[in-house]
Amino acid sequence: MTGRALLPILLAAILIGAIPLFVTANTVLNFLVFTLIIALAAQGWNILGGYGGQFSFGHAAFFGTGAYAAAILQTRFGINAWAAFCLGIAAGAAIGWIIGYLSFRSGLRGSYFALVTLAFAEVFRILANASAVTGGAAGLLVKLDVRPENFQFSSRAVFVWIALALVVAVLVLTAWIERSRFGAQLVAVRENEGAARALGVDALRVKLLAIALSGGVTAAAGALYVQYFLYIDATIAYGTWISVEALLAPIIGGAGTVLGPLVGAVTLHGLGEITKTLAGRVPGIDLVAFGALLIVAVAFAPDGIIGLARRLRARIGRGGGA
Amino acid sequence: MSLLSVSHVTKRFGGLVAINDASLVVEAGSITGLIGPNGAGKTTLFAVVSGFEAPTEGTIRFEERDITAVPTHVRARDGIARTFQIVQPFAGLSVADNIAVGAHLRHAGRADALAVAHDVARRVGLDRDLHKPAASLTVAGRKRLELARALATGPKLLLLDEVLAGLNPSEIRDIVPVIRAIRDDGVTILMIEHVMQAVMNLCERVYVLAQGRIIAEGEPRQVCEDQAVIEAYLGKGAAARLSSRAAGGAHV
Ligand SMILES: Nc1ncnc2c1ncn2[C@@H]1O[C@H](COP(=O)(O)OP(=O)(O)O)[C@@H](O)[C@H]1O
Ligand SMILES: [Mg+2]
């Protein structure tokens, strides 16, 4: 991979990674961890939605599966937290592959695919809310036992760095996808599936690989959520909030770009915090800000912040003329 | 040796018979033409040969092998490439990336695929446009892009669906030698074409499809004088009217 592709990733990593060295306020570190978890979930969505053009409204299905798998394997089966974390990712990838197989095999696309993913997430939410394994409506508590081998740390900074390491790993993965045959075929399927098939692209295989990767990455976000908050219930795990976050961040930041999900998540949550501070404790005011931002993005930056930045740079490069 | 053989293919869309018991053979190394009035079923026949549509009846053989049930992307791997009459560019990608998707069929690495894309672009005369977005190409450019992408898959058989339609005479003059050069490089071509001058120029053999049936086949000049063909294009009785008006040239 070329240095040109890795440089922005390195810069983002240093910039965010340095914050805990200078800031120790819990609110700031909480904000960072939470935003990075959202960014990770959004990076998962971006692989399938941004590069593959298959818009999911139900990425909660993967987030929740990662979260519950990690929590249940630890609390009910006594499996090591790190192993449970990895198995959570695998579970998310498997659920992704299954949902993909069921919907892509029968030729579902566009809004039909979006609705089916939404339906899966909702069914999972209802099941998790009712089942005994998942702790029902009361949810699941992971026992507090602060030791590194338990994936529990007394320092929030460590969590920032772990979350950041995962986000950076997926940034590198995404940059690799962009330059691979798989990525070229995935984008071709997004742009025109019929033409892609005529050129020898196995569209089903490409989409299945994309949704499995996508599910695995978003499941990592869910499993990380569990390790940080040591609690999960059906509304958090499989709620629409995370499906919306996972798709909003890439769309605001730039779907189908490496940095889009991270930029979008930071923008959304940065703005949300600022509005909350400025407007005081008006309930839901951050959601109003989200909505406003989405409208602005759709109207003025249809290809997100990254797309807007590229266009501006191209204009400046041409000599700044109007 | 015949590279492609279509035998007794029928394709029905509900009550509509788009192709009716059509058979044809494409010899390896040839340029074969497929002509016929609008709505005759030519594009549908391409869809059946490339695997986009399953025939209601009949079989498709490629290199003597029955491929009737083989999926589209596997046929591409086997060496069948097609262009689309209604161009289907990857609109959001550059010309180079469009062609690279085709090149990736036989080249895993991005650098390799891009090198092939550059080479193919040069062959079809798109090398100046490589870094442009595909959406910014003119009609002629888009037709060349269809050709380039298909060619980049390294096909044995190239199915060209009206790649000259919508081009002006000078653009047609530019692209005819390109098609001939592709064949001279060892790619067999089956082309649907309305521009008769090009058909006469390029094709060794021509099949005529009308209302789903193959009504004539042979050398282009001979087919153009065929009574049934003239009537298919110009209506019943046209052949008789033309021949009674003495010789005037073969303007079909
Ligand atoms: N997918 C389809 N569904 C229904 N009818 C179709 C379909 N594709 C083609 N047809 C019909 O089949 C006939 C042949 O069309 P086509 O193969 O495009 O003709 P040509 O390429 O010779 O102009 C037309 O009457 C067309 O309307
Ligand atoms: Mg046609």
Side-chain angles (χ1 to χ4, degrees), chain B residues 13 16 18 37-44 53 85:
Chain B
F13 293 110
L16 180 96
N38 276 326
K42 304 179 297 293
T43 296
T44 305
E53 300 279 358
Q85 179 180 357

Side-chain angles (χ1 to χ4, degrees), chain A residues 2-261:
Chain A
T2 59
R4 246 188 83 161
L6 293 180
L7 192 66
I9 297 177
L10 194 68
L11 276 177
I14 292 172
L15 220 64
I16 297 173
I19 296 177
L21 299 178
F22 303 106
V23 186
T24 50
N26 276 345
T27 47
V28 173
L29 297 183
N30 271 336
F31 166 80
L32 265 186
V33 172
F34 188 70
T35 304
L36 287 170
I37 289 175
I38 298 298
L40 190 59
Q43 284 179 302
W45 186 94
N46 190 41
I47 294 174
L48 181 67
Y51 288 95
Q54 314 296 314
F55 276 41
S56 151
F57 274 5
H59 257 52
F62 311 130
F63 184 87
T65 299
Y68 270 120
I72 291 172
L73 288 170
Q74 285 175 77
T75 54
R76 303 224 190 271
F77 297 92
I79 290 176
N80 171 270
W82 294 93
F85 182 81
C86 295
L87 290 170
I89 295 175
I95 291 289
W97 193 89
I98 292 166
I99 293 179
Y101 189 82
L102 294 175
S103 36
F104 297 142
R105 269 280 307 223
S106 42
L108 288 185
R109 282 186 215 175
S111 39
Y112 295 99
F113 173 71
L115 284 176
V116 164
T117 55
L118 179 63
F120 269 103
E122 278 297 283
V123 168
F124 289 167
R125 188 179 63 76
I126 292 162
L127 289 178
N129 205 39
S131 152
V133 207
T134 53
L140 269 181
L141 274 168
V142 176
K143 207 170 102 226
L144 185 72
D145 183 1
V146 182
R147 275 186 296 167
E149 60 266 37
N150 288 346
F151 206 142
Q152 294 185 25
F153 305 92
S154 52
S155 148
R156 284 189 163 80
V158 175
F159 262 107
V160 172
W161 289 322
I162 291 176
L164 182 62
L166 286 165
V167 167
V168 167
V170 181
L171 287 175
V172 173
L173 172 72
T174 315
W176 173 82
I177 288 174
E178 265 195 357
R179 282 156 189 77
S180 70
R181 161 152 72 181
F182 164 64
Q185 296 185 332
L186 184 60
V187 167
V189 166
R190 174 189 75 197
E191 294 289 316
N192 189 325
E193 189 169 331
R197 281 164 56 217
L199 299 174
V201 175
D202 185 347
L204 178 63
R205 193 190 134 269
V206 166
K207 285 193 280 187
L208 284 179
L209 187 52
I211 197 172
L213 280 172
S214 177
V217 170
T218 301
L224 194 62
Y225 184 99
V226 163
Q227 289 316 124
Y228 189 64
F229 293 101
L230 298 176
Y231 174 75
I232 195 76
D233 69 19
T235 330
I236 300 170
Y238 289 123
T240 14
W241 74 278
I242 186 66
S243 296
V244 171
E245 293 266 6
L247 77 91
L248 212 52
I251 289 174
I252 300 276
T257 65
V258 173
L259 287 170

